[in-house]
Each structure stands twice: as structure tokens, then as C-alpha cells.
Amino acid sequence: MENGYKVYIKKDFSEIGIKKDYDKVLIITDENVKKLYMDDFIRNLNFKNIIQYIIKSGENSKSLEVYEDIFKFCIENEVSRKSLIIAFGGGVVGDLSGFIASTYMRGIDLIHCPTTLLSQVDSSIGGKTGINLGNYKNIIGSFYRPEFIHININTLKTLNHNEFLSGLSEVIKYALICDYEFLDYLLKNKNKILNLDEECLIYIVKKCSNIKIDIVKKDEKESGIRKTLNLGHTFGHGIEKLGNFSHGFAVAIGTHMAFRLSYKKGYINKSYYEKVLSIYKAYDIPISFDGINSRDILNIMKKDKKNSFSKINLVLPTGHSAIEIVDNIDEDEILCVIQEVGNEF
């Protein structure tokens, strides 16, 4: 595809052979992916000079400490400007590896091979990289395009059920921001999707990746339309950090907050609000929380990197797959919605 966003959706790791002349390939992955897929992946790469760096699974690996350790590893192993980094794993591996590739020797080539649904439909596409600092998610990062993205949809069959559902939350997001008919597809094909039907998986990954690429080509650095991809994220980041929810589940809860706020403000009607809740319930994706202080969530939202002029920027629905970005919602209204979603169910 144009602008360097080449996405190949396959049923295995074949045809992933390296086309350029690299002196070395560094594969960054986590413990789980290494155990499941590394031997097969390396065999399909068919490249002699390969080194590996294995991180611990989970969001805590997106840290300055891990970033520094990988840099030292690169220096010790003579990774050069003629080397390649392959991000082989989920969103954590992709965000971290992308930031390393973008900053090591001012930038070396990168390939994404995402292995989770969330990373296949969202985080591997669009060039965002990042690491966390304390409670502030992706506060350090860059925009950096990979050479290409190779997706093996059969890696989804080894995800645990909650990891798959977490990715489905991002799939639902694309329907809510761009394609109302896709929402009906997800409802109609629920059983096939949950049973990991290959054709359904290919369809939803292709649908979501095409939507995101189209948006990114129009607004690569997130100054306009790309901000709509953050539906549920400003609310959700606080939930994710303080409640130990997965990213996808936190976004689902955050999306519920956004829809509830829009319903209360009169931006959407009751039937649309209830339909959106029904799809999350159909897939058994959480849309409420407990045990988290609502004001702590609000404080994290106030420090979100997407804010400007000391105003909280929110992505809110205004109709069927219609979204707007607003910065004029009173903090008390936001706090009230957080409290209601926390106590509703």
C-alpha cells in the first residue's frame, strides 16, 4: 500500500523472507511468543545472522530500563545501521521495538510481525512507537514507519480467551468510528468469530487494517482525523493503569464512558447507546469497573498527552459511526460519568 504501510495477511510465516541486504537481524519478542513460534519463524526467515532479545511479557517491559538494556545489547552485538529489527509479538513488543528502531543510531529498518488481535488490527499499523513513564502511557515515543507488516492470523489460535476478547474491543472501535454495518457483521458472526473461523479472522483483520491505513494516510502525525482512533482511550488509560485491566478491556470501559457521556449530552439516542452496550455484552467484554477511585482516573486523564491548552480532549460519538473531538466538557460531568460506569453494574 502507499506511504510505506504494506500489510500482508497470511495463514503462516511463509513469504516473510528478507528482501534487503542486512548485516544482522535482531528479533525482539517476549517469553510466550518465543516458546510458541520462534523456531518456525526463524526457519521461514531463512537468514543466517540472527540474534534475539527476549523481554518479559506484559506492559511493565515498556520501560526506560528495558529500553536501555536493549540498547546495550545492540551495542555489544554490533547491531549497525545496516541491521534490521523485527518486532515479533503483541502490542508491548511492537511499541518497544519500534521506539528502539526509531532511535538506535538515529533509525534503522523495522518489520512488524504482530501475533495478537489487538496488535494485528491496531497497534502495529500507523507508525506509533512508545514506552511508559510511571502512570503515563506512551509518554515517550515517536512516529516511525516499518518496512512492512506481516500478519499470521493463525497465531490468534494460541491466545487465551481474554487476550482475544481484548483485541476484539479494538475491532469494535473501528465499527463505531467508521463503519456501522461492520457492527452488524460482528453481531451476526459472533459464534464464528469466537470459534476463530479463519475466513472471519482474515475479514476483520483486513477490514480494520484498511480503515486504519486510510486514516493514517490522511493524518500521519495525529493532528486531525487520526485522533478519532482514540475513542475510549483517554478514559481508558486511567482504568488500564489503576485497575490492571488489559488495554482492550480498558478501552471498552472507556468507550462505554464516552457513549454514556454523549447520551447524557444528547449527542446520540438511547437505542444507539444500548446497541453499543449489547455488542460488548454479547462478547462478554467488560464495560464497567469497581475498586478504582474515580478522581484518580480523572487526574490521569488531565495529564493525557493528547490534551492541549490545559483542556481534556475527548473523542465522543455523535451518531451511527460518527465521531467528533471535543474539549469543552466540564470536569464535573466527566467525573460523574466515571462514577456512574464504576457503580452501574
Side-chain angles (χ1 to χ4, degrees):
M1 294 185 182
E2 295 177 11
N3 292 348
Y5 294 105
K6 301 174 184 176
V7 180
Y8 306 106
I9 302 172
K10 306 289 184 179
K11 296 182 180 181
D12 52 35
F13 294 120
S14 64
E15 301 177 44
I16 197 176
I18 298 169
K19 306 298 190 295
K20 286 189 178 181
D21 185 21
Y22 296 108
D23 62 3
K24 192 166 298 185
V25 172
L26 166 61
I27 302 173
I28 300 175
T29 192
D30 66 29
E31 301 160 319
N32 295 333
V33 175
K34 175 181 170 58
K35 186 191 311 181
L36 290 167
Y37 295 115
M38 186 63 86
D39 290 344
D40 184 40
F41 186 71
I42 289 176
R43 186 163 51 250
N44 278 280
L45 273 181
N46 193 27
F47 189 86
K48 291 183 179 180
N49 198 0
I50 294 175
I51 55 175
Q52 305 172 33
Y53 191 96
I54 314 302
I55 65 170
K56 292 183 179 179
S57 301
E59 191 75 13
N60 287 339
S61 288
K62 283 175 55 174
S63 67
L64 282 169
E65 291 78 13
V66 175
Y67 173 76
E68 182 179 357
D69 286 344
I70 297 177
F71 256 62
K72 290 177 180 177
F73 178 84
C74 288
I75 294 167
E76 290 167 1
N77 286 273
E78 299 181 334
V79 173
S80 75
R81 286 180 173 172
K82 294 295 185 180
S83 299
L84 169 71
I85 289 178
I86 299 180
F88 184 38
V92 168
V93 168
D95 287 352
L96 174 65
S97 302
F99 188 51
I100 289 164
S102 73
T103 51
Y104 184 75
M105 294 189 174
R106 297 193 175 95
I108 64 175
D109 281 0
L110 168 72
I111 293 172
H112 279 297
C113 296
T115 59
T116 65
L117 183 57
L118 192 149
S119 59
Q120 290 180 2
V121 302
D122 192 73
S123 63
S124 69
I125 302 165
K128 279 188 177 181
T129 78
I131 57 177
N132 307 329
L133 188 64
N135 285 335
Y136 307 117
K137 186 175 173 67
N138 297 325
I139 197 71
I140 306 169
S142 61
F143 290 92
Y144 198 67
R145 297 179 187 175
E147 294 295 298
F148 63 85
I149 300 162
H150 183 101
I151 294 172
N152 174 1
I153 55 98
N154 275 308
T155 60
L156 303 180
K157 295 181 179 179
T158 53
L159 295 179
N160 71 48
H161 187 61
N162 279 342
E163 283 180 308
F164 183 76
L165 292 182
S166 181
L168 271 175
S169 174
E170 291 282 357
V171 171
I172 293 168
K173 177 194 76 176
Y174 284 105
L176 297 178
I177 65 174
C178 280
D179 193 332
Y180 187 73
E181 291 181 358
F182 186 36
L183 201 63
D184 290 327
Y185 173 88
L186 295 174
L187 283 168
K188 181 180 178 181
N189 292 279
K190 183 193 77 169
N191 291 335
K192 284 185 176 181
I193 293 168
L194 289 177
N195 287 322
L196 306 179
D197 176 82
E198 282 189 359
E199 297 311 311
C200 283
L201 294 178
I202 290 171
Y203 179 81
I204 63 176
V205 170
K206 185 176 181 179
K207 166 74 77 172
C208 295
S209 60
N210 283 342
I211 290 172
K212 184 160 188 181
I213 288 169
D214 184 57
I215 290 173
V216 169
K217 286 196 295 186
K218 296 173 183 174
D219 177 26
E220 186 172 22
K221 298 296 179 68
E222 200 172 56
S223 59
I225 189 175
R226 185 169 180 174
K227 291 180 180 179
T228 62
L229 293 169
N230 293 315
L231 175 65
H233 286 63
T234 301
F235 281 112
H237 282 166
I239 297 288
E240 181 178 0
K241 188 64 182 181
L242 300 174
N244 292 317
F245 284 91
S246 70
H247 177 73
F249 286 172
V251 167
I253 296 168
T255 300
H256 179 195
M257 292 179 188
F259 269 78
R260 187 172 185 86
L261 180 57
S262 284
Y263 172 52
K264 292 180 70 172
K265 298 286 287 184
Y267 301 159
I268 60 172
N269 59 33
K270 185 178 182 180
S271 64
Y272 185 40
Y273 172 63
E274 290 181 343
K275 181 173 183 175
V276 170
L277 297 193
S278 73
I279 190 169
Y280 287 113
K281 291 176 182 178
Y283 281 101
D284 200 24
I285 295 172
I287 51 174
S288 62
F289 68 94
D290 56 32
I292 311 173
N293 185 284
S294 298
R295 193 164 289 279
D296 289 343
I297 295 172
L298 178 63
N299 287 336
I300 289 179
M301 292 174 67
K302 289 165 70 173
K303 294 179 174 64
D304 190 276
K305 63 184 179 298
K306 296 179 290 296
N307 295 339
S308 56
F309 300 102
S310 300
K311 295 179 179 179
I312 298 176
N313 287 329
L314 295 175
V315 180
L316 297 181
T318 55
H320 290 179
S321 298
I323 298 292
E324 287 188 13
I325 301 154
V326 301
D327 64 2
N328 60 352
I329 306 297
D330 186 80
E331 284 187 14
D332 289 338
E333 291 181 276
I334 297 172
L335 183 62
C336 183
V337 164
I338 297 171
Q339 292 169 337
E340 288 173 356
V341 170
N343 297 320
E344 187 174 28
F345 298 97

PDB file of all heavy atoms in Angstrom, residues 38-61:
ATOM      1  N   MET A  38       9.102 -19.231  17.783  1.00  0.00           N
ATOM      2  CA  MET A  38      10.397 -18.735  17.322  1.00  0.00           C
ATOM      3  C   MET A  38      11.085 -19.671  16.329  1.00  0.00           C
ATOM      4  O   MET A  38      11.629 -19.231  15.304  1.00  0.00           O
ATOM      5  CB  MET A  38      11.313 -18.451  18.509  1.00  0.00           C
ATOM      6  CG  MET A  38      12.627 -17.792  18.107  1.00  0.00           C
ATOM      7  SD  MET A  38      12.379 -16.162  17.362  1.00  0.00           S
ATOM      8  CE  MET A  38      12.319 -15.148  18.843  1.00  0.00           C
ATOM      9  N   ASP A  39      11.076 -20.959  16.589  1.00  0.00           N
ATOM     10  CA  ASP A  39      11.775 -21.887  15.697  1.00  0.00           C
ATOM     11  C   ASP A  39      11.188 -21.833  14.287  1.00  0.00           C
ATOM     12  O   ASP A  39      11.928 -21.758  13.295  1.00  0.00           O
ATOM     13  CB  ASP A  39      11.700 -23.313  16.249  1.00  0.00           C
ATOM     14  CG  ASP A  39      12.542 -23.508  17.502  1.00  0.00           C
ATOM     15  OD1 ASP A  39      13.405 -22.647  17.763  1.00  0.00           O
ATOM     16  OD2 ASP A  39      12.329 -24.506  18.209  1.00  0.00           O
ATOM     17  N   ASP A  40       9.874 -21.877  14.197  1.00  0.00           N
ATOM     18  CA  ASP A  40       9.211 -21.829  12.893  1.00  0.00           C
ATOM     19  C   ASP A  40       9.451 -20.489  12.206  1.00  0.00           C
ATOM     20  O   ASP A  40       9.671 -20.423  10.993  1.00  0.00           O
ATOM     21  CB  ASP A  40       7.710 -22.071  13.080  1.00  0.00           C
ATOM     22  CG  ASP A  40       6.955 -22.137  11.766  1.00  0.00           C
ATOM     23  OD1 ASP A  40       7.474 -22.719  10.796  1.00  0.00           O
ATOM     24  OD2 ASP A  40       5.843 -21.584  11.692  1.00  0.00           O
ATOM     25  N   PHE A  41       9.438 -19.425  12.982  1.00  0.00           N
ATOM     26  CA  PHE A  41       9.632 -18.082  12.440  1.00  0.00           C
ATOM     27  C   PHE A  41      11.036 -17.940  11.842  1.00  0.00           C
ATOM     28  O   PHE A  41      11.201 -17.476  10.718  1.00  0.00           O
ATOM     29  CB  PHE A  41       9.413 -17.057  13.548  1.00  0.00           C
ATOM     30  CG  PHE A  41       9.443 -15.625  13.086  1.00  0.00           C
ATOM     31  CD1 PHE A  41       8.416 -15.102  12.315  1.00  0.00           C
ATOM     32  CD2 PHE A  41      10.500 -14.794  13.424  1.00  0.00           C
ATOM     33  CE1 PHE A  41       8.445 -13.791  11.880  1.00  0.00           C
ATOM     34  CE2 PHE A  41      10.537 -13.482  13.002  1.00  0.00           C
ATOM     35  CZ  PHE A  41       9.501 -12.975  12.222  1.00  0.00           C
ATOM     36  N   ILE A  42      12.043 -18.363  12.586  1.00  0.00           N
ATOM     37  CA  ILE A  42      13.426 -18.257  12.111  1.00  0.00           C
ATOM     38  C   ILE A  42      13.642 -19.120  10.876  1.00  0.00           C
ATOM     39  O   ILE A  42      14.332 -18.729   9.926  1.00  0.00           O
ATOM     40  CB  ILE A  42      14.415 -18.632  13.233  1.00  0.00           C
ATOM     41  CG1 ILE A  42      14.416 -17.536  14.307  1.00  0.00           C
ATOM     42  CG2 ILE A  42      15.819 -18.842  12.674  1.00  0.00           C
ATOM     43  CD1 ILE A  42      15.285 -17.843  15.502  1.00  0.00           C
ATOM     44  N   ARG A  43      13.017 -20.296  10.869  1.00  0.00           N
ATOM     45  CA  ARG A  43      13.152 -21.180   9.707  1.00  0.00           C
ATOM     46  C   ARG A  43      12.605 -20.506   8.446  1.00  0.00           C
ATOM     47  O   ARG A  43      13.194 -20.590   7.371  1.00  0.00           O
ATOM     48  CB  ARG A  43      12.415 -22.486   9.985  1.00  0.00           C
ATOM     49  CG  ARG A  43      12.585 -23.548   8.917  1.00  0.00           C
ATOM     50  CD  ARG A  43      12.201 -24.929   9.429  1.00  0.00           C
ATOM     51  NE  ARG A  43      10.878 -24.932  10.051  1.00  0.00           N
ATOM     52  CZ  ARG A  43      10.671 -25.090  11.363  1.00  0.00           C
ATOM     53  NH1 ARG A  43      11.700 -25.243  12.182  1.00  0.00           N
ATOM     54  NH2 ARG A  43       9.461 -25.084  11.856  1.00  0.00           N
ATOM     55  N   ASN A  44      11.505 -19.803   8.575  1.00  0.00           N
ATOM     56  CA  ASN A  44      10.908 -19.124   7.430  1.00  0.00           C
ATOM     57  C   ASN A  44      11.672 -17.862   7.033  1.00  0.00           C
ATOM     58  O   ASN A  44      11.641 -17.462   5.872  1.00  0.00           O
ATOM     59  CB  ASN A  44       9.444 -18.791   7.710  1.00  0.00           C
ATOM     60  CG  ASN A  44       8.515 -19.953   7.470  1.00  0.00           C
ATOM     61  OD1 ASN A  44       8.149 -20.252   6.347  1.00  0.00           O
ATOM     62  ND2 ASN A  44       8.139 -20.635   8.548  1.00  0.00           N
ATOM     63  N   LEU A  45      12.357 -17.239   7.995  1.00  0.00           N
ATOM     64  CA  LEU A  45      13.167 -16.065   7.661  1.00  0.00           C
ATOM     65  C   LEU A  45      14.304 -16.422   6.720  1.00  0.00           C
ATOM     66  O   LEU A  45      14.688 -15.632   5.852  1.00  0.00           O
ATOM     67  CB  LEU A  45      13.751 -15.434   8.934  1.00  0.00           C
ATOM     68  CG  LEU A  45      12.915 -14.412   9.690  1.00  0.00           C
ATOM     69  CD1 LEU A  45      13.704 -13.905  10.891  1.00  0.00           C
ATOM     70  CD2 LEU A  45      12.504 -13.256   8.796  1.00  0.00           C
ATOM     71  N   ASN A  46      14.887 -17.598   6.946  1.00  0.00           N
ATOM     72  CA  ASN A  46      15.981 -18.073   6.086  1.00  0.00           C
ATOM     73  C   ASN A  46      17.111 -17.042   5.991  1.00  0.00           C
ATOM     74  O   ASN A  46      17.545 -16.651   4.917  1.00  0.00           O
ATOM     75  CB  ASN A  46      15.448 -18.417   4.683  1.00  0.00           C
ATOM     76  CG  ASN A  46      16.459 -19.193   3.863  1.00  0.00           C
ATOM     77  OD1 ASN A  46      17.305 -19.905   4.410  1.00  0.00           O
ATOM     78  ND2 ASN A  46      16.380 -19.065   2.542  1.00  0.00           N
ATOM     79  N   PHE A  47      17.574 -16.629   7.186  1.00  0.00           N
ATOM     80  CA  PHE A  47      18.659 -15.651   7.268  1.00  0.00           C
ATOM     81  C   PHE A  47      19.672 -16.170   8.284  1.00  0.00           C
ATOM     82  O   PHE A  47      19.301 -16.689   9.337  1.00  0.00           O
ATOM     83  CB  PHE A  47      18.100 -14.287   7.692  1.00  0.00           C
ATOM     84  CG  PHE A  47      19.076 -13.155   7.602  1.00  0.00           C
ATOM     85  CD1 PHE A  47      19.244 -12.469   6.406  1.00  0.00           C
ATOM     86  CD2 PHE A  47      19.824 -12.761   8.708  1.00  0.00           C
ATOM     87  CE1 PHE A  47      20.144 -11.417   6.309  1.00  0.00           C
ATOM     88  CE2 PHE A  47      20.724 -11.720   8.631  1.00  0.00           C
ATOM     89  CZ  PHE A  47      20.878 -11.038   7.431  1.00  0.00           C
ATOM     90  N   LYS A  48      20.956 -16.019   7.999  1.00  0.00           N
ATOM     91  CA  LYS A  48      21.984 -16.656   8.822  1.00  0.00           C
ATOM     92  C   LYS A  48      22.295 -15.902  10.116  1.00  0.00           C
ATOM     93  O   LYS A  48      22.410 -16.502  11.184  1.00  0.00           O
ATOM     94  CB  LYS A  48      23.266 -16.830   8.003  1.00  0.00           C
ATOM     95  CG  LYS A  48      23.142 -17.869   6.900  1.00  0.00           C
ATOM     96  CD  LYS A  48      24.463 -18.057   6.172  1.00  0.00           C
ATOM     97  CE  LYS A  48      24.340 -19.119   5.078  1.00  0.00           C
ATOM     98  NZ  LYS A  48      25.622 -19.319   4.349  1.00  0.00           N
ATOM     99  N   ASN A  49      22.462 -14.596  10.027  1.00  0.00           N
ATOM    100  CA  ASN A  49      22.972 -13.848  11.178  1.00  0.00           C
ATOM    101  C   ASN A  49      21.815 -13.239  11.982  1.00  0.00           C
ATOM    102  O   ASN A  49      21.462 -12.077  11.821  1.00  0.00           O
ATOM    103  CB  ASN A  49      23.928 -12.761  10.714  1.00  0.00           C
ATOM    104  CG  ASN A  49      24.821 -12.254  11.839  1.00  0.00           C
ATOM    105  OD1 ASN A  49      24.718 -12.722  12.972  1.00  0.00           O
ATOM    106  ND2 ASN A  49      25.675 -11.305  11.529  1.00  0.00           N
ATOM    107  N   ILE A  50      21.228 -14.066  12.859  1.00  0.00           N
ATOM    108  CA  ILE A  50      20.063 -13.646  13.657  1.00  0.00           C
ATOM    109  C   ILE A  50      20.427 -13.667  15.130  1.00  0.00           C
ATOM    110  O   ILE A  50      21.019 -14.632  15.631  1.00  0.00           O
ATOM    111  CB  ILE A  50      18.865 -14.572  13.411  1.00  0.00           C
ATOM    112  CG1 ILE A  50      18.371 -14.453  11.965  1.00  0.00           C
ATOM    113  CG2 ILE A  50      17.717 -14.246  14.369  1.00  0.00           C
ATOM    114  CD1 ILE A  50      17.268 -15.432  11.599  1.00  0.00           C
ATOM    115  N   ILE A  51      20.071 -12.591  15.832  1.00  0.00           N
ATOM    116  CA  ILE A  51      20.185 -12.558  17.289  1.00  0.00           C
ATOM    117  C   ILE A  51      18.810 -12.263  17.864  1.00  0.00           C
ATOM    118  O   ILE A  51      17.925 -11.746  17.178  1.00  0.00           O
ATOM    119  CB  ILE A  51      21.219 -11.521  17.772  1.00  0.00           C
ATOM    120  CG1 ILE A  51      20.893 -10.126  17.215  1.00  0.00           C
ATOM    121  CG2 ILE A  51      22.625 -11.943  17.384  1.00  0.00           C
ATOM    122  CD1 ILE A  51      21.814  -9.030  17.754  1.00  0.00           C
ATOM    123  N   GLN A  52      18.617 -12.611  19.136  1.00  0.00           N
ATOM    124  CA  GLN A  52      17.310 -12.462  19.764  1.00  0.00           C
ATOM    125  C   GLN A  52      17.429 -11.721  21.090  1.00  0.00           C
ATOM    126  O   GLN A  52      18.409 -11.904  21.822  1.00  0.00           O
ATOM    127  CB  GLN A  52      16.684 -13.828  20.046  1.00  0.00           C
ATOM    128  CG  GLN A  52      16.563 -14.744  18.863  1.00  0.00           C
ATOM    129  CD  GLN A  52      16.124 -16.140  19.285  1.00  0.00           C
ATOM    130  OE1 GLN A  52      15.376 -16.324  20.241  1.00  0.00           O
ATOM    131  NE2 GLN A  52      16.604 -17.150  18.557  1.00  0.00           N
ATOM    132  N   TYR A  53      16.429 -10.904  21.385  1.00  0.00           N
ATOM    133  CA  TYR A  53      16.319 -10.327  22.722  1.00  0.00           C
ATOM    134  C   TYR A  53      14.910 -10.639  23.224  1.00  0.00           C
ATOM    135  O   TYR A  53      13.921 -10.284  22.583  1.00  0.00           O
ATOM    136  CB  TYR A  53      16.555  -8.813  22.721  1.00  0.00           C
ATOM    137  CG  TYR A  53      16.713  -8.260  24.123  1.00  0.00           C
ATOM    138  CD1 TYR A  53      17.969  -8.069  24.677  1.00  0.00           C
ATOM    139  CD2 TYR A  53      15.598  -7.974  24.912  1.00  0.00           C
ATOM    140  CE1 TYR A  53      18.131  -7.603  25.972  1.00  0.00           C
ATOM    141  CE2 TYR A  53      15.748  -7.504  26.214  1.00  0.00           C
ATOM    142  CZ  TYR A  53      17.013  -7.320  26.737  1.00  0.00           C
ATOM    143  OH  TYR A  53      17.160  -6.860  28.026  1.00  0.00           O
ATOM    144  N   ILE A  54      14.839 -11.295  24.379  1.00  0.00           N
ATOM    145  CA  ILE A  54      13.560 -11.752  24.914  1.00  0.00           C
ATOM    146  C   ILE A  54      13.190 -10.903  26.124  1.00  0.00           C
ATOM    147  O   ILE A  54      13.964 -10.797  27.082  1.00  0.00           O
ATOM    148  CB  ILE A  54      13.631 -13.239  25.341  1.00  0.00           C
ATOM    149  CG1 ILE A  54      14.325 -14.081  24.267  1.00  0.00           C
ATOM    150  CG2 ILE A  54      12.233 -13.765  25.652  1.00  0.00           C
ATOM    151  CD1 ILE A  54      13.688 -14.035  22.911  1.00  0.00           C
ATOM    152  N   ILE A  55      12.017 -10.278  26.065  1.00  0.00           N
ATOM    153  CA  ILE A  55      11.534  -9.485  27.192  1.00  0.00           C
ATOM    154  C   ILE A  55      10.490 -10.279  27.964  1.00  0.00           C
ATOM    155  O   ILE A  55       9.929 -11.261  27.467  1.00  0.00           O
ATOM    156  CB  ILE A  55      10.939  -8.140  26.724  1.00  0.00           C
ATOM    157  CG1 ILE A  55       9.675  -8.370  25.881  1.00  0.00           C
ATOM    158  CG2 ILE A  55      11.972  -7.331  25.961  1.00  0.00           C
ATOM    159  CD1 ILE A  55       8.889  -7.106  25.576  1.00  0.00           C
ATOM    160  N   LYS A  56      10.228  -9.850  29.171  1.00  0.00           N
ATOM    161  CA  LYS A  56       9.135 -10.422  29.942  1.00  0.00           C
ATOM    162  C   LYS A  56       7.803  -9.943  29.353  1.00  0.00           C
ATOM    163  O   LYS A  56       7.686  -8.806  28.913  1.00  0.00           O
ATOM    164  CB  LYS A  56       9.230 -10.013  31.409  1.00  0.00           C
ATOM    165  CG  LYS A  56      10.421 -10.616  32.136  1.00  0.00           C
ATOM    166  CD  LYS A  56      10.433 -10.228  33.603  1.00  0.00           C
ATOM    167  CE  LYS A  56      11.615 -10.872  34.322  1.00  0.00           C
ATOM    168  NZ  LYS A  56      11.665 -10.485  35.754  1.00  0.00           N
ATOM    169  N   SER A  57       6.817 -10.819  29.351  1.00  0.00           N
ATOM    170  CA  SER A  57       5.508 -10.446  28.830  1.00  0.00           C
ATOM    171  C   SER A  57       4.866  -9.405  29.737  1.00  0.00           C
ATOM    172  O   SER A  57       5.039  -9.439  30.954  1.00  0.00           O
ATOM    173  CB  SER A  57       4.596 -11.682  28.744  1.00  0.00           C
ATOM    174  OG  SER A  57       5.170 -12.657  27.906  1.00  0.00           O
ATOM    175  N   GLY A  58       4.147  -8.466  29.141  1.00  0.00           N
ATOM    176  CA  GLY A  58       3.406  -7.503  29.938  1.00  0.00           C
ATOM    177  C   GLY A  58       3.871  -6.070  29.777  1.00  0.00           C
ATOM    178  O   GLY A  58       4.993  -5.787  29.326  1.00  0.00           O
ATOM    179  N   GLU A  59       2.999  -5.155  30.175  1.00  0.00           N
ATOM    180  CA  GLU A  59       3.184  -3.719  29.996  1.00  0.00           C
ATOM    181  C   GLU A  59       4.407  -3.177  30.728  1.00  0.00           C
ATOM    182  O   GLU A  59       4.990  -2.174  30.324  1.00  0.00           O
ATOM    183  CB  GLU A  59       1.922  -2.988  30.476  1.00  0.00           C
ATOM    184  CG  GLU A  59       1.845  -1.524  30.124  1.00  0.00           C
ATOM    185  CD  GLU A  59       1.519  -1.260  28.660  1.00  0.00           C
ATOM    186  OE1 GLU A  59       1.112  -2.205  27.953  1.00  0.00           O
ATOM    187  OE2 GLU A  59       1.680  -0.105  28.220  1.00  0.00           O
ATOM    188  N   ASN A  60       4.837  -3.846  31.788  1.00  0.00           N
ATOM    189  CA  ASN A  60       5.990  -3.355  32.552  1.00  0.00           C
ATOM    190  C   ASN A  60       7.285  -3.364  31.743  1.00  0.00           C
ATOM    191  O   ASN A  60       8.250  -2.684  32.103  1.00  0.00           O
ATOM    192  CB  ASN A  60       6.177  -4.187  33.828  1.00  0.00           C
ATOM    193  CG  ASN A  60       5.116  -3.893  34.872  1.00  0.00           C
ATOM    194  OD1 ASN A  60       4.488  -2.835  34.842  1.00  0.00           O
ATOM    195  ND2 ASN A  60       4.888  -4.832  35.785  1.00  0.00           N
ATOM    196  N   SER A  61       7.317  -4.113  30.656  1.00  0.00           N
ATOM    197  CA  SER A  61       8.523  -4.140  29.815  1.00  0.00           C
ATOM    198  C   SER A  61       8.667  -2.886  28.968  1.00  0.00           C
ATOM    199  O   SER A  61       9.734  -2.651  28.389  1.00  0.00           O
ATOM    200  CB  SER A  61       8.516  -5.384  28.914  1.00  0.00           C
ATOM    201  OG  SER A  61       8.772  -6.549  29.678  1.00  0.00           O
TER     202      SER A  61
END
